[in-house]
């Protein structure tokens, strides 16, 4: 194997800490990849000058798709010819990130033939990320991926690659089959995934329970968080065992309940389930004694995003409870109504959460034909001038009667 050809004293500093270093990985790849070797050289140059030397490549991709490839070029092609083109490809990951060792080897072999050999497993959206290839290698890579049943994911103003926790495959708390829902919506919305037509990006994330292991409440325009609508299942004998084994149930469970819906008399635990906000704290502390209820489905939230145009937002409740059962017709109908109004009225680079803030939640709900409910209210109104449309309607009716 060849050695790297650049001196990298600044990058070398990043290998000295306690944590794994991306520099070490690039150096390993650079021994057999000229692209990775030139990447080291340009990165060192950037650290020295404190200037990035990447320029966006505009629209570049594979035939028939408008997304999935992020064009990138070096602005120093003469000095670092190996990365004059350095496009990123996003590859749609399997639901729950389950792979066979054979499929991982196939992916890596394809990328070593056609790209830098550098990967990110996985990107923040969830995709397999192939880092660095030339324009002429995009189509051959795509063709080889198709032969092993992998597709390109989303990028640009489209539906980004849906992702999910492993749900019922590994987790006893899952309230619906996250992997099935994620797979089904990925299949049903192929056009929205591959051909950008939205004002900006739109992300689905599926979490099987309120522990929200894929952080959907912070990172998804539309979050599907598993929940239940009946009583928490409780085994009083197991509760007593926790107490006998030294758990301070009053301090560690009851006092930390955010809705104060629990009571402990030293012998028996009681829960006022109508006040429960499904935070999962008590279940996480006493998993042998408490379990989610049996009537399970998901809460649908909308509007979270990172700070780009406006500040960061967490998603808000749109539907408090929906059964998550194939073929998901009610869910797909709701999604399409949201997309119709947002695509028609949204501004360029305006996420759906920002769109809702701009037009108002009431107008948005009316447009998507969803009735307002208390769970949608983040906080009380900040001004006292509240007007109700039905009052106007009543007044108009009285005026008409008086005139008659």
């Amino acid at each position: 194997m060849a050695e790297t050809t650049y001196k990298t004293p600044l990058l070398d500093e990043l290998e000295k800490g306690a944590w794994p270093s991306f520099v070490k990985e690039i150096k390993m790849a650079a021994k057999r990849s000229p692209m990775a070797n030139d990447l080291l050289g340009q990165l060192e140059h950037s650290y020295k000058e404190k200037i990035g030397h990447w320029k966006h490549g505009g629209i570049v991709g594979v035939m028939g798709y408008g997304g999935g490839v992020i064009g990138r070029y070096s602005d120093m092609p003469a000095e670092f010819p190996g990365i004059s083109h350095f496009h990123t490809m996003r590859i749609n990951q399997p639901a729950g990130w389950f792979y066979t060792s054979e499929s991982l080897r196939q992916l890596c072999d394809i990328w070593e033939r056609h790209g830098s050999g550098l990967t990110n497993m996985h990107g923040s959206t969830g995709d397999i990320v192939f880092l660095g290839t030339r324009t002429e290698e995009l189509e051959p890579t795509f063709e080889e991926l198709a032969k092993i049943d992998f597709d390109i994911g989303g990028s640009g103003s489209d539906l980004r690659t849906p992702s999910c926790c492993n749900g019922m495959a590994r987790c006893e708390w899952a309230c619906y089959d996250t992997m099935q829902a994620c797979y089904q919506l990925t299949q049903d919305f192929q056009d929205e995934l591959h051909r950008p037509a939205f004002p900006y990006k739109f992300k689905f994330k599926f979490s099987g329970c309120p522990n929200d292991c894929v952080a959907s409440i912070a990172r998804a325009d539309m979050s599907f968080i598993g929940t239940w609508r009946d009583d928490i299942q409780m085994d009083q004998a197991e509760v007593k065992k926790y107490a006998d084994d030294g758990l301070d149930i009053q301090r560690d469970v009851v006092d930390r309940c955010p809705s104060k819906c629990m009571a402990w008399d030293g012998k028996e635990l009681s829960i006022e389930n109508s006040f429960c906000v499904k935070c999962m704290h008590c279940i996480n502390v006493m998993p042998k004694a408490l379990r989610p209820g049996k009537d399970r489905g998901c809460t649908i939230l909308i509007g979270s995003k990172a700070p780009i145009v406006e500040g960061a937002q967490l998603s808000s409740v749109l539907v408090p409870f929906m059964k998550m059962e194939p073929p998901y017709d009610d869910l797909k109908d709701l999604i399409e109504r949201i997309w119709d109004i947002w695509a028609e009225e949204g501004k360029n680079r305006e996420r759906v959460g920002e769109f809702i803030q701009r037009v108002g939640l009431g107008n948005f709900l009316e447009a998507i034909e969803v009735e307002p409910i208390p769970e949608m209210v983040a906080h009380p109104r900040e001004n006292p001038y509240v007007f109700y449309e039905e009052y106007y309607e009543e007044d108009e009716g009285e005026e008409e009667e008086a005139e008659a």
Side-chain angles (χ1 to χ4, degrees), residues 202-398:
F202 194 99
K203 296 181 179 181
F204 289 147
K205 294 192 187 298
F206 301 84
S207 288
C209 77
N211 283 322
D212 195 12
C213 291
V214 293
S216 66
I217 196 170
R219 305 190 302 137
D221 297 272
M222 203 163 185
S223 315
F224 305 90
I225 301 179
T227 188
W228 62 95
R229 59 180 172 183
D230 56 348
D231 293 351
I232 293 174
Q233 300 180 70
M234 181 160 48
D235 185 331
Q236 293 287 0
E238 289 293 341
V239 173
K240 188 174 185 306
K241 283 184 182 179
Y242 277 106
D244 293 343
D245 289 342
L247 176 66
D248 189 333
I249 292 177
Q250 182 65 43
R251 183 193 67 193
D252 296 334
V253 180
V254 174
D255 291 346
R256 293 182 179 177
C257 173
S259 57
K260 306 300 180 186
C261 70
M262 309 182 78
W264 168 247
D265 63 7
K267 295 180 181 179
E268 195 168 278
L269 182 69
S270 60
I271 303 174
E272 179 50 70
N273 282 274
S274 62
F275 293 153
C276 175
V277 294
K278 316 295 194 295
C279 75
M280 290 280 288
H281 171 70
C282 61
I283 297 174
N284 291 331
V285 175
M286 300 192 296
K288 292 183 179 180
L290 303 173
R291 301 185 67 82
K294 295 180 180 179
D295 187 8
R296 301 179 179 184
C298 85
T299 297
I300 301 174
L301 300 95
I302 194 164
S304 73
K305 65 174 200 67
I308 298 178
V309 176
E310 299 287 342
Q313 291 178 201
L314 296 180
S315 55
S316 303
V317 171
L318 180 66
V319 179
F321 187 87
M322 179 182 284
K323 284 287 191 180
M324 289 291 278
E325 297 170 349
Y328 309 104
D329 288 337
D330 290 343
L331 175 58
K332 287 183 280 190
D333 181 59
L334 173 63
I335 291 167
E336 288 172 349
R337 294 201 304 273
I338 291 170
W339 283 346
D340 284 347
I341 184 64
W342 175 53
E344 181 71 24
E345 304 292 345
K347 295 181 179 180
N348 185 41
R349 292 179 67 83
E350 182 177 54
R351 298 285 284 271
V352 72
E354 295 166 324
F355 171 70
I356 293 170
Q357 282 190 330
R358 178 169 63 84
V359 303
L361 179 62
N363 292 327
F364 175 74
L365 294 175
E366 185 176 351
I368 64 171
E369 301 175 4
V370 171
E371 289 294 319
I373 50 175
E375 287 89 343
M376 297 173 180
V377 179
H379 58 81
R381 284 182 66 106
E382 294 171 345
N383 71 67
Y385 302 104
V386 181
F387 302 99
Y388 296 93
E389 290 182 9
E390 55 264 34
Y391 288 178
Y392 290 123
E393 291 169 3
E394 289 174 9
D395 292 342
E396 287 170 4
E398 290 172 2

Side-chain angles (χ1 to χ4, degrees), residues 50-110:
K50 299 182 181 178
I51 297 173
H53 285 286
W54 296 114
K55 56 182 182 179
H56 194 277
I59 302 300
V60 60
V62 299
M63 189 69 69
Y65 283 18
V69 179
I70 297 91
R72 189 173 289 113
Y73 299 89
S74 169
D75 68 2
M76 304 178 70
E79 294 88 340
F80 305 105
I83 54 172
S84 57
H85 300 196
F86 200 75
H87 308 315
T88 290
M89 298 184 75
R90 289 180 179 161
I91 314 304
N92 196 328
Q93 79 283 354
W97 298 283
F98 281 101
Y99 298 90
T100 63
S101 57
E102 179 185 8
S103 66
L104 286 171
R105 288 190 177 94
Q106 289 173 325
L107 288 167
C108 291
D109 288 345
I110 289 171

